């Protein structure tokens, strides 16, 4: 009798332990929230567990817009081999154009985190896709046409340097006006690694993540038409704006977040 009681109790304990384990590692048993910040801006997300080895996350990132103003020199439509591709006036001083670049980043994330060591360690590898608008920046610039001869204004195609691109200049009411749009891929693969659970083991937890978002090469458009590269006409493109544009092709991600459970 006592032996049967012990066996029955042990069986009940094993059943309870198994049920608890399933509750901890079952598909969608928990829903968690997260808030954080990093190079993608401010982040909010929800996540669920799949097994002890995998979790899924849906998140929104928003980086406040900012703008940068710089000067650019106006030049003729350059031809390969031309000796003077730049337009000079007033004792060889370049025509100054104030160029304002405005940047705004908002992305949606769908990612999976994989824990190779299961419950023994919170080290993870992350992979997923980010979705966003193609346009990551706008370029606007203008200057008066004073100092430029009327025949040049009438007969020449004019450009300014926009990073490594030749951005055409429109001629409107005595002003030279430049407008452009910087675009990358709207669907951007992501890989990363870090430490911490999307669904914390306790009610609260911290998570650190580093990775790369692959946005593709930056392209510049003017009136919905892709503009040409400076290098095509053997004009140097080694500039800060060029390096800035290249930075967005493989965008570094570093994120710190606080995680918590809904249930």
């Amino acid at each position: 009798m006592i032996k049967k009681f012990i066996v029955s109790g042990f069986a009940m304990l094993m059943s309870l332990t198994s049920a608890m384990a399933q509750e901890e590692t079952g598909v969608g048993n928990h829903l968690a929230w997260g808030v954080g910040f990093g190079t993608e801006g401010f982040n909010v997300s929800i996540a669920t567990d799949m097994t002890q080895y995998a979790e899924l996350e849906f998140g929104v990132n928003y980086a406040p817009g900012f703008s940068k103003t710089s000067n650019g020199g106006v030049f003729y439509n350059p031809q390969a081999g031309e000796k003077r591709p730049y337009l000079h006036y007033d004792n060889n001083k370049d025509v100054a154009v104030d160029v304002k670049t405005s940047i705004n980043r908002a992305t949606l994330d769908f990612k999976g985190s994989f824990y190779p060591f299961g419950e023994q360690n919170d080290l993870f590898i992350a992979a997923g896709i980010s979705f966003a608008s193609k346009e990551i920046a706008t370029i606007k610039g203008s200057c008066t046409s004073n100092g430029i001869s009327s025949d040049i204004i009438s007969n020449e195609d004019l450009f300014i340097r926009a990073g490594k691109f030749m951005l055409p200049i429109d001629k409107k009411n005595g002003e030279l006006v430049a407008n452009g749009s910087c675009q990358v891929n709207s669907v951007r693969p992501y890989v990363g690694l870090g430490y911490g659970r999307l669904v914390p083991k306790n009610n609260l937890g911290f998570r650190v993540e580093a990775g790369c978002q692959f946005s593709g090469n930056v392209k510049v458009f003017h009136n919905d038409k892709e503009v040409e590269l400076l290098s095509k006409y053997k004009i140097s493109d080694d500039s800060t704006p060029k390096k800035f544009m290249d930075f967005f092709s493989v965008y570094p991600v570093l994120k710190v977040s606080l995680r918590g459970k809904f249930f």
Side-chain angles (χ1 to χ4, degrees):
M1 185 73 176
I2 296 177
K3 184 177 180 180
K4 289 183 178 181
F5 180 80
I6 294 174
V7 171
S8 299
F10 183 77
M12 291 178 61
L13 179 60
M14 292 297 295
S15 299
L16 180 61
T17 301
S18 176
M20 291 177 65
Q22 291 177 2
E23 174 66 19
E24 287 299 320
T25 61
V27 176
N29 280 343
H30 297 289
L31 184 66
W33 55 266
V35 293
F37 65 93
T39 55
E40 291 183 298
F42 299 100
N43 167 267
V44 295
S45 70
I46 57 174
T48 187
D49 50 353
M50 301 300 292
T51 70
Q52 61 176 305
Y53 297 99
E55 296 171 333
L56 293 179
E57 176 188 27
F58 176 76
V60 179
N61 305 286
Y62 176 73
F66 67 92
S67 62
K68 177 179 176 60
T69 301
S70 58
N71 290 331
V74 176
F75 56 90
Y76 293 110
N77 181 12
Q79 301 298 324
E82 184 173 343
K83 294 181 180 180
R84 292 186 64 212
Y86 289 94
L87 170 62
H88 291 278
Y89 81 116
D90 190 16
N91 296 324
N92 294 328
K93 181 179 179 182
D94 284 340
V95 178
V97 181
D98 288 330
V99 182
K100 182 178 181 180
T101 304
S102 300
I103 296 185
N104 195 2
R105 287 179 60 86
T107 57
L108 301 178
D109 294 334
F110 184 72
K111 300 177 182 177
S113 292
F114 308 96
Y115 302 86
F117 303 105
E119 294 182 347
Q120 299 177 13
N121 195 301
D122 291 344
L123 181 70
F124 68 86
I125 300 170
I129 298 177
S130 295
F131 303 89
S133 169
K134 289 185 177 181
E135 185 177 274
I136 61 168
T138 57
I139 303 173
K140 295 183 179 181
S142 65
C143 75
T144 65
S145 57
N146 294 334
I148 306 176
S149 63
S150 59
D151 64 316
I152 291 176
I153 294 295
S154 302
N155 302 321
E156 296 288 351
D157 292 329
L158 301 178
F159 299 82
I160 62 169
R161 184 198 306 269
K164 57 184 178 181
F165 298 95
M166 291 170 46
L167 182 61
I169 293 179
D170 299 319
K171 304 157 189 176
K172 298 180 180 179
N173 301 323
E175 279 194 334
L176 304 180
V177 180
N179 290 291
S181 170
C182 298
Q183 299 183 14
V184 294
N185 297 335
S186 59
V187 179
R188 307 165 190 172
Y190 171 85
V191 293
L193 54 84
Y195 192 86
R197 295 269 173 173
L198 289 172
V199 180
K201 296 176 182 178
N202 300 314
N203 289 329
L204 289 175
F206 289 95
R207 179 178 166 97
V208 179
E209 182 175 349
C212 290
Q213 184 186 97
F214 299 93
S215 305
N217 293 329
V218 177
K219 298 178 181 179
V220 175
F221 290 80
H222 172 73
N223 294 335
D224 298 323
K225 182 179 179 181
E226 187 176 351
V227 305
E228 294 182 307
L229 293 168
L230 289 163
S231 58
K232 178 179 178 180
Y233 297 96
K234 300 180 181 180
I235 297 177
S236 172
D237 62 3
D238 186 17
S239 63
T240 299
K242 187 261 186 184
K243 296 174 182 176
F244 186 71
M245 288 180 176
D246 290 343
F247 175 80
F248 280 93
S249 297
V250 181
Y251 190 79
V253 174
L254 179 62
K255 183 185 304 182
V256 178
S257 60
L258 174 67
R259 312 297 309 184
K261 282 183 183 178
F262 286 115
F263 59 84

